[in-house]
Amino acid sequence: MQTSPAQDEQAGPVHVGAPLAPLTTLRLGGPAARLIEAPDAGTAVDAVRATDESGEPLLLLGGGSNVVVADEGFTGTVVRMTGGGTAIERRPDGSVLLTAEAGEDWDAVVAATVAQGLGGLECLSGIPGLTGATPVQNVGAYGVEVSALLVDVDLYDRRTGTVRTHVPAAELGLGYRTSVLKNTDAAVVLRVRFALPGGGASMPIAYAELARTLGVDPGSTVPAEVAREAVLELRRGKGMVLDAADHDTWSAGSFFTNPIVDEAAVPDPAMPRWPAGEGRTKLPAAWLIQHAGFAPGHEGPGGRVGLSTRHVLALTNRGAGSTGDLLALAREVRAGVLDRFGIALHPEPVLVGCTL
């Protein structure tokens, strides 16, 4: 990676021809024409504004945990959010307002709240990436979604060139792994605010697998630190906690979302499912993949990529793969599920310069 001798007048350090693969959890993708590091909201706004004024393509990059970058890389400017800090405000009703800058590591934020005796975010432990991405995806795990705790966000509106503060969560269209911020580049998340209950108990344990691990009934609460350790244990068992030494964790997390279909379209009455609104049902993508004939460890082209040996929802880079290899495997899995069940799977990661 070549660093220019001077900084952009309106931004942070500028790197020319910066490799993007090391900045993603998949360790895949070509270089960026330019990369600007933004350690705070002001720097991010300046970098985005300057890039927009130049007419260059722009890619916002956080922890690289939910992105698939083309082998050819990105021909424009990448603005990478880093750090920024957090703040906690205790409110008269006993609850806590947590403010976190977009560039903060998400799991570090969760760990810090639990360490301070605060429950609420513990079921979202171990999720890689940065805090700014959590409302974009409405990140969720083990029965808890960001939407349950999100108060508001601060955004940079690229269309107007202005910063909008305290945009209510209700205006973000938060749904299953989606929001109005997803699949658009019109706004940049600068910081987020969460309302935490203020005590040390976890959120009610809603996920059956987690309840079994904890030895409690669904709906019970436990100390937040106990729930966090159980969640991390479950995620490690599925290869969903990034380990630089373990290629089985080199993934973008769950590659496909759980499809939501009309109840009448469920192909097998014995298929596990969850209610998803009136007349709608959410099906487990992992079940569909396995019952379409794809076992854990199923290999893609040349064995360079494959399904995780522990969780068929994760497509992994075995160390020598390419984005082309990964997409070929994804297409194979998608086609197999469609052929077996007539249900189309959709990717969860953002595809940059490539398509499925």
Side-chain angles (χ1 to χ4, degrees), residues 10 44-46 48-50 52-53 155-164 185-188 190:
Q10 294 179 294
V45 169
D46 288 343
V48 172
R49 182 181 288 124
D52 286 345
E53 290 174 352
L155 303 172
Y156 174 64
D157 189 328
R158 296 174 63 194
R159 295 165 295 192
T160 63
T162 58
V163 173
R164 299 177 59 202
D185 56 5
V188 180
L190 303 176

Coordinates of all heavy atoms in Angstrom, one line a residue, residues 10 44-46 48-50 52-53 155-164 185-188 190:
Q10 N -9.1 18.1 3.1 CA -10.3 18.0 3.7 C -10.6 16.7 4.4 O -11.7 16.4 4.9 CB -11.5 18.3 2.8 CG -11.5 19.7 2.2 CD -12.6 20.0 1.3 OE1 -12.6 19.4 0.2 NE2 -13.5 20.8 1.6
A44 N -14.8 12.0 8.3 CA -15.6 11.3 7.3 C -16.4 12.2 6.5 O -16.5 12.0 5.2 CB -16.5 10.3 8.1
V45 N -17.1 13.2 7.1 CA -17.9 14.1 6.3 C -17.0 14.9 5.3 O -17.4 15.0 4.1 CB -18.6 15.1 7.2 CG1 -19.3 16.2 6.4 CG2 -19.7 14.4 8.0
D46 N -15.9 15.3 5.7 CA -15.0 16.1 4.8 C -14.5 15.2 3.6 O -14.5 15.6 2.5 CB -13.8 16.6 5.5 CG -14.1 17.7 6.5 OD1 -15.2 18.3 6.3 OD2 -13.3 18.0 7.4
V48 N -16.0 12.4 2.4 CA -17.1 12.1 1.5 C -17.5 13.3 0.7 O -17.7 13.2 -0.6 CB -18.4 11.6 2.3 CG1 -19.6 11.5 1.4 CG2 -18.1 10.3 3.0
R49 N -17.6 14.5 1.3 CA -17.9 15.7 0.5 C -16.9 16.0 -0.6 O -17.3 16.3 -1.7 CB -18.0 16.9 1.5 CG -18.4 18.2 0.8 CD -18.5 19.3 1.8 NE -19.6 19.2 2.7 CZ -19.6 19.2 4.0 NH1 -18.4 19.3 4.6 NH2 -20.7 19.2 4.7
A50 N -15.6 15.9 -0.2 CA -14.6 16.1 -1.2 C -14.6 15.1 -2.4 O -14.5 15.5 -3.5 CB -13.2 16.1 -0.5
D52 N -17.3 13.4 -3.4 CA -18.5 13.8 -4.2 C -18.3 14.9 -5.1 O -18.7 14.9 -6.3 CB -19.7 14.1 -3.3 CG -20.3 12.8 -2.6 OD1 -20.0 11.7 -3.1 OD2 -21.0 12.9 -1.6
E53 N -17.6 16.0 -4.6 CA -17.3 17.1 -5.4 C -16.4 16.8 -6.6 O -16.5 17.5 -7.6 CB -16.8 18.3 -4.5 CG -17.8 18.9 -3.6 CD -17.2 19.9 -2.6 OE1 -15.9 20.0 -2.6 OE2 -17.9 20.5 -1.9
L155 N -26.7 11.4 10.6 CA -26.4 11.0 9.2 C -25.8 12.2 8.5 O -26.1 13.4 8.7 CB -27.7 10.6 8.5 CG -28.5 9.4 9.0 CD1 -29.8 9.3 8.2 CD2 -27.7 8.1 8.9
Y156 N -24.9 11.9 7.5 CA -24.5 12.9 6.5 C -25.3 12.6 5.3 O -25.2 11.5 4.7 CB -23.0 12.8 6.3 CG -22.6 13.8 5.1 CD1 -22.7 15.1 5.2 CD2 -22.1 13.2 3.9 CE1 -22.4 16.0 4.2 CE2 -21.7 14.1 2.9 CZ -21.9 15.4 3.0 OH -21.5 16.3 2.0
D157 N -26.1 13.6 4.9 CA -27.0 13.5 3.7 C -26.2 14.0 2.5 O -25.9 15.1 2.3 CB -28.2 14.3 3.9 CG -29.3 14.0 2.8 OD1 -28.9 13.7 1.6 OD2 -30.5 14.2 3.0
R158 N -25.8 13.0 1.6 CA -24.9 13.4 0.5 C -25.7 14.2 -0.6 O -25.1 14.9 -1.4 CB -24.4 12.1 -0.1 CG -23.4 11.4 0.8 CD -23.0 10.0 0.2 NE -22.2 10.2 -1.0 CZ -21.9 9.3 -1.9 NH1 -22.4 8.0 -1.7 NH2 -21.2 9.5 -3.0
R159 N -27.0 14.0 -0.6 CA -27.8 14.8 -1.6 C -27.8 16.3 -1.3 O -27.8 17.1 -2.2 CB -29.2 14.2 -1.7 CG -29.3 12.8 -2.2 CD -30.6 12.1 -1.9 NE -30.9 12.0 -0.4 CZ -31.8 11.3 0.1 NH1 -32.7 10.6 -0.7 NH2 -32.0 11.2 1.4
T160 N -27.9 16.6 0.0 CA -28.0 18.0 0.4 C -26.7 18.5 0.9 O -26.5 19.8 1.1 CB -29.1 18.2 1.5 OG1 -28.7 17.4 2.7 CG2 -30.4 17.7 1.0
G161 N -25.7 17.6 1.2 CA -24.4 18.1 1.8 C -24.5 18.5 3.2 O -23.7 19.3 3.7
T162 N -25.5 18.1 4.0 CA -25.8 18.5 5.3 C -25.8 17.3 6.3 O -26.0 16.2 5.9 CB -27.1 19.2 5.5 OG1 -28.2 18.3 5.1 CG2 -27.1 20.5 4.6
V163 N -25.5 17.6 7.6 CA -25.5 16.6 8.6 C -26.9 16.7 9.3 O -27.3 17.7 9.7 CB -24.4 16.8 9.7 CG1 -24.6 15.9 10.8 CG2 -23.0 16.6 9.0
R164 N -27.6 15.5 9.4 CA -28.9 15.4 10.0 C -28.7 14.7 11.4 O -28.1 13.6 11.4 CB -29.9 14.7 9.2 CG -30.2 15.3 7.8 CD -31.1 14.4 7.1 NE -32.4 14.2 7.8 CZ -33.2 13.2 7.6 NH1 -32.9 12.2 6.7 NH2 -34.3 13.1 8.3
D185 N -26.5 4.7 -1.3 CA -25.3 5.4 -0.8 C -25.7 6.9 -0.5 O -24.8 7.7 -0.5 CB -24.2 5.3 -1.8 CG -24.5 5.8 -3.2 OD1 -25.6 6.4 -3.4 OD2 -23.7 5.7 -4.1
A186 N -27.0 7.2 -0.3 CA -27.4 8.6 -0.2 C -27.0 9.2 1.2 O -27.0 10.4 1.4 CB -28.9 8.7 -0.4
A187 N -26.8 8.3 2.2 CA -26.6 8.8 3.5 C -25.4 8.0 4.2 O -25.3 6.8 3.9 CB -27.8 8.7 4.4
V188 N -24.7 8.7 5.0 CA -23.6 8.1 5.8 C -23.9 8.1 7.2 O -24.2 9.2 7.8 CB -22.3 8.8 5.5 CG1 -21.1 8.2 6.2 CG2 -22.0 8.9 4.0
L190 N -23.1 8.4 10.9 CA -22.0 9.0 11.7 C -21.9 8.6 13.1 O -20.8 8.4 13.7 CB -22.1 10.6 11.6 CG -22.1 11.2 10.2 CD1 -22.3 12.7 10.4 CD2 -20.8 10.9 9.5

